[in-house]
Amino acid sequence: MPYFDAASSLPPHPVARQALLAAFDDGWADPSRLHREGRRARMLLDAARETAAEAVGCRPDELTFTSSGTRALHTGMAGALAGRARAGRHLLVSAVEHSAVLHAAEAHRAAGGTVAEIGVDRGGLVAPADVAAALAAGPAAALVCVQSANHEVGTRQPVADIAEIGRAAGVPLLVDAAQSLPWGPVAGAWSLLAASAHKWGGPGGVGLLAVRKGVRFAPASPVDERESGRAPGFENIPAVVAAAASLRAFRAEAGAEAARLAALVDRIRERVPRLVPDVEVVGEAAHRLPHVVTFSCLHVDGEALLHALDRAGFAVSSGSSCTSSTLTPSHVLRAMGVLSEGNVRVSLPPGTTEEDVERFLAVLPEAVAGVRAQLTPPTVTGGAGRAGGAAEPAGTGTFTVDSLGKRCPVPVIELAGAIGRVAVGGVVTVLADDAAARLDIPAWCTMRGQEYLGESPHGDGPGTAYRVRRLV
Amino acid sequence: MPYFDAASSLPPHPVARQALLAAFDDGWADPSRLHREGRRARMLLDAARETAAEAVGCRPDELTFTSSGTRALHTGMAGALAGRARAGRHLLVSAVEHSAVLHAAEAHRAAGGTVAEIGVDRGGLVAPADVAAALAAGPAAALVCVQSANHEVGTRQPVADIAEIGRAAGVPLLVDAAQSLPWGPVAGAWSLLAASAHKWGGPGGVGLLAVRKGVRFAPASPVDERESGRAPGFENIPAVVAAAASLRAFRAEAGAEAARLAALVDRIRERVPRLVPDVEVVGEAAHRLPHVVTFSCLHVDGEALLHALDRAGFAVSSGSSCTSSTLTPSHVLRAMGVLSEGNVRVSLPPGTTEEDVERFLAVLPEAVAGVRAQLTPPTVTGGAGRAGGAAEPAGTGTFTVDSLGKRCPVPVIELAGAIGRVAVGGVVTVLADDAAARLDIPAWCTMRGQEYLGESPHGDGPGTAYRVRRLV
């Protein structure tokens, strides 16, 4: 049963299993103890640090093992921000960072700091010029955070160029390398780097935090003597050994696998829009991870599609609102301004075969069609009569759709059903309170060649009024 | 080769190894995903939580898996203190808590809170009446932290009584149960509890934090959706499964092993003072962990003794100053007011045989004698002449020993050599700048029946002047 959710977590690499077992017997003692068991544990820890540092491209004494990639990000950001508090309390983050970065940014704001988000283009790309502009606009920045590659759409960011801009401005760059580190070191003069072992088939419970020598860094309180004060608690040496060994093993195969998987992803990127009507492939076509492809399907509930694919034997992920416990659409897709409904992320693990991909392409159209068929057909409950804005030409008609209380993708489905109720030039207003509508109604307009006029509060009522002019 | 450092970390339990391997293949996916791999991981996590909760004696939804016992303590204290910030910002901790608790207390103080330490008796015991008095003395307390048993000397604390006092005062009790949880649940109405899996032969990287329903708790920032917001980062499910399974397995054998090990510890407690001259066994004889015994040896360097025992095949631990990177003596021994020099902690793992213990008792006297022989014989560099305090009787003599720049146990050895230079009633002053002297000179006086007169700054010079009146 093909597992196509590699960007979420990889099955363990055989080397991880072997290394874990070996180190489980030899690496259980406290490495800070002076007895032989402690010294043996310390030697395993030191060797793992050397192996991992080589793969990261840093010195062993620049590398800390944390308990997760999230912890590495939280610790790295807090330490760099605290270390540079005198230089400034302004933090720059790209709008498509992992939620761990955005949550740490939120904590920084709550503690009195300021945060600015750097936007992306429709492919999810951060423009180095935008980083330079944000740095120039001030206030004095303490830190810039940009991921090496996006976790939802696979877009690779120009972190070497951004690091250079940061270096010129004297501002360190923290790179979340969770998605790209398995495939190769991150180029450029970054200052801090974070990663997570279960993304390369290492065990859970291990993150990496690299802090280059010379970068100001103030470890967080409470203090702890382990891992240079950067990761409190007893070191998890068997897992750390397995993480380092499996990173090296993954890298040994990465070049050939990257080429092979990139070709399979190209095939999916090309074929899906031909196989499934009303699909948008999102994310950069050129600057991307080898193994990730993401697309959104109009008029589809993402969670329902995910379940349909799971039943058909394919494990994928979704950035659609409906799969998230927060019921808000993916901040990544929102920042890109692309459709979020019916969103599917396919991320191929090493070893994925051509046959697996062909079978996926074979079952996808039916899965999408099945989900679309289950959705309630458009029930247009509004009527002509509410006056449109003054700017709209008279005589072409207005129509209001009441989608209040309905979850995505129903508002867009109802809009699609209602657009025919006005003549070309006429305006349809959709009343909706699902947060995804803010993203999906404009995206629908782009896909369908209609004009999105904007949103306004819904008078005294709940929700928001979205206005669309019929052009075709 | 006997490993007698169980209180530091236990070799993995066979059940931990089996469970880890099984869950390594099935528990690697993200448990928050909807596909079958994610659901399988979620089921393993849920089952582990039920098993661990049963062993702790709490509801599964009260239990969080953290990345270490240290993290559990940091998170538990921060969450309880933040949750009760309106009730007060005063924290009570026993003076013999694990450094993780004291570090978190330090962080609380640095953030504007107040902290009071509750002292212990010479056996290391916290008196419930002292907790009640500290609560009554105010300011309004937000939290009390008392360990279930001490990690250095094995003394069990009356946490049920203390919890009752806390309950009556409306103040929650956090129990660091790292050392005792393997042996049984912690009785009483505690509010929060922390523990660490590698103390019972579980894997590294797993701590437990229990927070009883109804206890006010504010998760720390940055937020994260995993583990009820109390442990950010990807769940380490294989390790969590192994931790829960090995806790249950350890408990199944705990009753019989506790009785057996307690008898072996009794043997060590009884025999060591007869086998080795000038030894003080420290810690409660009655209220104690079954497997821990600690003693201090006069005129012995703890690190040297540890190495000597290691060469003789025994891995033990030491709370002596010289084994610590901070070069300060154990805060536990200091709080108890007992000798810190030549300190050895023996903590027996399950399965320790009578023969192992007899062999240890056979090699110990020679190891201590060897270390004592290596130490420089007392070189008394001072001379009579410095005037003693006015309170000292005239004609009995004074003598000053200059031990500045010399590390423990040299100042005490020099004191022992100098005491004969004054008549009974005379006073020896020791000038020393090693922090352990503050603990070990009074302890030496108690052991030798001499009178400790107190300390004062050493005029304009460095270090401290400790004064001792010869009585015998």
Side-chain angles (χ1 to χ4, degrees):
Chain A
M1 306 291 255
Y3 173 79
F4 283 180
D5 196 16
S8 166
S9 189
L10 265 193
H13 195 285
V15 165
R17 191 188 166 95
Q18 291 156 20
L20 188 79
L21 269 179
F24 202 60
D25 292 332
D26 276 352
W28 50 268
D30 184 340
S32 64
R33 296 290 175 193
L34 301 174
H35 45 59
R36 102 200 42 186
E37 288 81 357
R39 296 194 303 269
R40 201 164 56 193
R42 166 64 55 189
M43 281 172 59
L44 286 173
L45 180 59
D46 290 346
R49 199 185 312 276
E50 280 187 30
T51 301
E54 194 187 337
V56 169
C58 67
R59 293 165 31 167
D61 60 353
E62 293 173 332
L63 192 72
T64 298
F65 293 109
T66 66
S67 60
S68 67
T70 294
R71 279 286 188 200
L73 288 168
H74 290 177
T75 302
M77 289 175 69
L81 288 166
R84 283 181 47 86
R86 286 191 187 178
R89 300 209 61 196
H90 190 55
L91 168 66
L92 296 178
V93 299
S94 98
V96 294
E97 295 299 300
H98 189 274
S99 58
V101 170
L102 299 182
H103 288 154
E106 211 37 66
H108 177 64
R109 204 195 309 260
T114 57
V115 181
E117 280 195 4
I118 302 161
V120 296
D121 67 12
R122 210 174 154 82
L125 210 59
V126 176
D130 289 350
V131 178
L135 283 171
L143 181 67
V144 178
C145 298
V146 179
Q147 63 199 183
S148 56
N150 187 265
H151 50 296
E152 287 193 29
V153 300
T155 300
R156 283 185 182 272
Q157 304 296 354
V159 285
D161 294 348
I162 293 168
E164 200 46 47
I165 288 165
R167 207 188 52 73
V171 181
L173 171 68
L174 182 150
V175 176
D176 171 8
Q179 292 296 336
S180 82
L181 194 73
W183 300 101
V186 176
W190 48 264
S191 298
L192 303 101
L193 180 145
S196 175
H198 70 100
K199 305 290 188 191
W200 61 72
V206 183
L208 304 182
L209 172 62
V211 182
R212 294 272 196 212
K213 286 287 157 204
V215 173
R216 286 186 190 278
F217 192 93
S221 185
V223 300
D224 190 271
E225 291 178 5
R226 297 180 191 268
E227 288 295 297
S228 316
R230 291 173 187 169
F234 190 77
E235 293 92 343
N236 187 358
I237 292 177
V240 156
V241 168
S246 55
L247 177 55
R248 183 160 59 185
F250 190 106
R251 281 285 184 81
E253 305 148 359
E257 269 309 283
R260 215 176 58 76
L261 296 180
L264 294 175
V265 161
D266 280 341
R267 187 184 300 202
I268 296 171
R269 291 184 72 95
E270 200 179 304
R271 294 266 295 284
V272 165
R274 288 194 276 139
L275 291 167
V276 182
D278 292 328
V279 157
E280 182 179 10
V281 176
V282 297
E284 259 287 318
H287 307 288
R288 63 170 177 82
L289 290 169
H291 64 309
V292 176
V293 49
T294 303
F295 50 88
S296 297
C297 309
L298 207 57
H299 306 333
V300 165
D301 175 87
E303 183 171 336
L305 178 55
L306 197 150
H307 282 302
L309 289 169
D310 186 55
R311 282 192 299 274
F314 291 89
V316 299
S317 174
S318 172
S320 283
S321 65
C322 309
T323 62
S324 156
S325 60
T326 58
L327 294 178
T328 55
S330 147
H331 69 273
V332 172
L333 302 178
R334 195 168 61 225
M336 293 165 65
V338 297
L339 187 71
S340 80
E341 69 181 38
N343 179 262
V344 169
R345 177 187 69 186
V346 172
S347 50
L348 307 176
T352 300
T353 64
E354 202 177 324
E355 291 69 38
D356 291 337
V357 169
E358 282 301 329
R359 276 210 294 133
F360 175 75
L361 292 171
V363 305
L364 180 68
E366 200 174 329
V368 172
V371 171
R372 280 180 176 155
Q374 276 166 28
L375 282 168
T376 0
T379 52
V380 178
T381 53
R386 282 193 64 213
E392 282 126 33
T396 50
T398 63
F399 194 84
T400 297
V401 180
D402 181 1
S403 296
L404 292 168
K406 295 173 189 168
R407 286 181 58 193
C408 68
V410 174
V412 172
I413 292 174
E414 295 190 343
L415 165 61
I419 198 77
R421 304 287 284 262
V422 297
V424 168
V427 171
V428 173
T429 299
V430 183
L431 305 176
D433 47 14
D434 185 308
R438 179 158 291 124
L439 188 54
D440 290 342
I441 290 176
W444 178 88
C445 292
T446 306
M447 290 176 78
R448 282 289 191 262
Q450 310 293 1
E451 187 185 2
Y452 179 60
L453 296 173
E455 63 168 80
S456 54
H458 170 215
D460 298 331
T464 302
Y466 301 92
R467 289 182 309 121
V468 174
R469 189 193 315 274
R470 179 174 177 188
L471 295 186
V472 289
Chain B
M1 303 293 254
Y3 173 79
F4 283 180
D5 196 16
S8 166
S9 189
L10 265 193
H13 195 285
V15 164
R17 190 189 167 94
Q18 290 156 19
L20 187 80
L21 270 178
F24 203 60
D25 292 333
D26 277 352
W28 50 268
D30 185 340
S32 63
R33 295 291 176 193
L34 301 174
H35 44 59
R36 101 199 44 186
E37 288 82 357
R39 296 194 303 268
R40 201 163 56 194
R42 166 64 56 189
M43 281 171 60
L44 287 173
L45 179 60
D46 290 346
R49 198 184 312 276
E50 280 187 29
T51 301
E54 195 188 335
V56 169
C58 68
R59 293 163 33 165
D61 61 353
E62 294 173 331
L63 192 72
T64 297
F65 293 110
T66 66
S67 60
S68 66
T70 295
R71 279 284 188 203
L73 289 168
H74 289 179
T75 302
M77 290 176 68
L81 287 167
R84 282 182 47 85
R86 284 191 188 176
R89 300 210 61 198
H90 190 54
L91 168 67
L92 296 178
V93 298
S94 98
V96 294
E97 294 300 300
H98 190 274
S99 59
V101 170
L102 299 183
H103 288 154
E106 211 38 66
H108 177 64
R109 204 195 306 262
T114 57
V115 182
E117 280 196 5
I118 301 162
V120 295
D121 68 12
R122 210 174 154 82
L125 209 58
V126 176
D130 289 351
V131 178
L135 283 170
L143 180 67
V144 178
C145 298
V146 178
Q147 61 197 184
S148 56
N150 186 266
H151 49 296
E152 287 194 28
V153 300
T155 300
R156 281 185 184 273
Q157 305 296 353
V159 286
D161 294 347
I162 293 168
E164 201 45 47
I165 287 166
R167 208 189 49 76
V171 181
L173 171 69
L174 182 150
V175 176
D176 171 7
Q179 291 296 336
S180 83
L181 194 74
W183 301 101
V186 175
W190 49 264
S191 297
L192 303 101
L193 181 146
S196 175
H198 70 98
K199 305 290 189 191
W200 62 73
V206 182
L208 304 183
L209 171 62
V211 182
R212 293 268 195 218
K213 286 288 157 205
V215 174
R216 287 187 188 276
F217 192 94
S221 183
V223 300
D224 191 88
E225 291 178 5
R226 297 180 192 268
E227 288 293 296
S228 316
R230 291 173 187 169
F234 189 75
E235 293 93 343
N236 187 357
I237 292 175
V240 156
V241 168
S246 55
L247 177 53
R248 184 158 59 184
F250 191 106
R251 282 282 185 83
E253 306 147 0
E257 270 307 285
R260 216 176 58 76
L261 295 180
L264 294 176
V265 161
D266 281 340
R267 187 182 301 204
I268 297 172
R269 290 184 73 96
E270 200 178 304
R271 294 265 296 282
V272 165
R274 289 195 275 140
L275 291 166
V276 182
D278 293 329
V279 157
E280 181 178 10
V281 175
V282 298
E284 260 287 316
H287 307 288
R288 61 170 178 81
L289 291 169
H291 64 308
V292 176
V293 49
T294 304
F295 51 87
S296 296
C297 309
L298 206 56
H299 306 335
V300 164
D301 176 88
E303 183 170 338
L305 178 54
L306 198 150
H307 282 302
L309 289 169
D310 187 56
R311 283 192 300 273
F314 290 89
V316 299
S317 175
S318 172
S320 283
S321 64
C322 309
T323 63
S324 154
S325 60
T326 58
L327 293 177
T328 56
S330 148
H331 69 274
V332 173
L333 303 177
R334 196 167 62 225
M336 293 165 65
V338 297
L339 187 72
S340 80
E341 67 181 38
N343 179 261
V344 170
R345 178 186 70 187
V346 172
S347 50
L348 307 177
T352 300
T353 65
E354 205 177 322
E355 291 68 39
D356 291 338
V357 168
E358 283 300 329
R359 278 210 294 133
F360 176 74
L361 292 171
V363 304
L364 180 67
E366 200 173 329
V368 172
V371 172
R372 281 181 175 156
Q374 277 167 28
L375 283 168
T376 1
T379 52
V380 178
T381 54
R386 281 193 63 214
E392 282 125 34
T396 50
T398 62
F399 194 85
T400 297
V401 179
D402 180 1
S403 295
L404 292 168
K406 295 173 188 168
R407 283 180 59 192
C408 69
V410 174
V412 171
I413 292 174
E414 295 190 344
L415 165 61
I419 198 78
R421 304 288 283 265
V422 297
V424 168
V427 171
V428 172
T429 299
V430 182
L431 305 176
D433 49 13
D434 185 307
R438 177 159 292 123
L439 187 54
D440 290 342
I441 289 174
W444 180 87
C445 293
T446 304
M447 290 177 79
R448 281 290 192 263
Q450 311 292 1
E451 186 185 0
Y452 179 60
L453 296 174
E455 63 168 80
S456 54
H458 170 217
D460 297 333
T464 302
Y466 300 92
R467 289 180 313 120
V468 175
R469 190 195 312 276
R470 180 173 175 187
L471 296 186
V472 290

